[in-house]
Amino acid sequence: KAGRHVIPELTKKGHQVLNLDLVDFPNSNGSDVFTLKTDLTDSGQVFNALTTHFDYSEYEGPSVPHAPDVVIHFAAYARNMLVPDNECFKGNVLSTYNVIEAACKLGVRKIVVASSETTYGVCFSQGDVDYHAFPLEEDYDVDPMDTYALSKLCGERTARTFARRYGVDIYALRIGNVIEPHEYERDFGAYVNEPMTRKRNAWSYIDARDLGQICDLCISKDGLGFQVFNATNDTITTKIPTEDFLKQNQPNTPITRKMGEWEAPLSNRKIREVLGFREEHDWRKYYKP
């Protein structure tokens, strides 16, 4: 879902992209991206795919292909209950390990991987579970109880291990609920008018196009080593300001610092301050409460 919008945003910025996937990239939006069918759980395929041409035209060039400048790894089972839990864990953890290992050993100096909002322990928890505190920031004691989120935490630890071993930059994005352009009209009426349905997403979201901007900013910012960033838009998806809403609806959960008037509980403060993220797609531009 995210890749359908992230890849066009990257090509708009002038990046050349090779898509590694099991299905072709939908180029209906004007992108001309080549897909190399690759099983990322097969280490040999990953090593080979990271040293291949980006399209057929490169056979006309003077040299054989080499490793890319940057690897962005978003491929995964996107949630629980698509496959049995053990397959979700195996596929997500092994593919992330294979991609990071191959990229590092081939000399790639910048890797971006997808983590998830689910690591904060409420999204796929059993029953009605409260967050420990607000805002949710990257130093939070993440403690999920589901397999998908566990696989994402394993990915973060893998990233940290290889970043330390090889001295490279690996940024893990804890991606919020991804919203595509057509979903504002379809879904935000319910999100805004029935706010407790959004507790599992911490009343936060990331526009798929803004996620593309975040990826471009990650490419541009060097020298940070291993980092975790919340990848969300700026504001809460409610009609009333953040602290008022949280005090009314989550009275048992402490607020540990002064929050911005409409700041998203899954806060993107770090990515704004460190990478310079400036959202372009505030949900209020597309839905009027």
Side-chain angles (χ1 to χ4, degrees), residues 121-129 145-146 200:
V122 170
C123 188
F124 290 127
S125 289
Q126 193 70 41
D128 183 15
V129 176
M145 64 172 73
D146 71 284
R200 291 179 181 268

Side-chain angles (χ1 to χ4, degrees), residues 20 38-51 66-71 73 93-111 113 158 162 165-166 168 170:
L20 307 184
T38 308
D39 180 358
L40 298 178
T41 65
D42 182 328
S43 179
Q45 289 194 39
V46 177
F47 270 92
N48 195 297
L50 292 184
T51 52
H66 55 79
D69 298 317
V70 177
V71 170
H73 174 52
V93 173
L94 186 57
S95 64
T96 301
Y97 179 90
N98 287 345
V99 169
I100 293 175
E101 179 191 42
C104 287
K105 289 183 175 180
L106 290 169
V108 177
R109 305 296 298 173
K110 173 67 62 62
I111 304 165
V113 299
T158 301
F162 275 89
R165 180 178 179 184
Y166 285 90
V168 300
I170 309 182

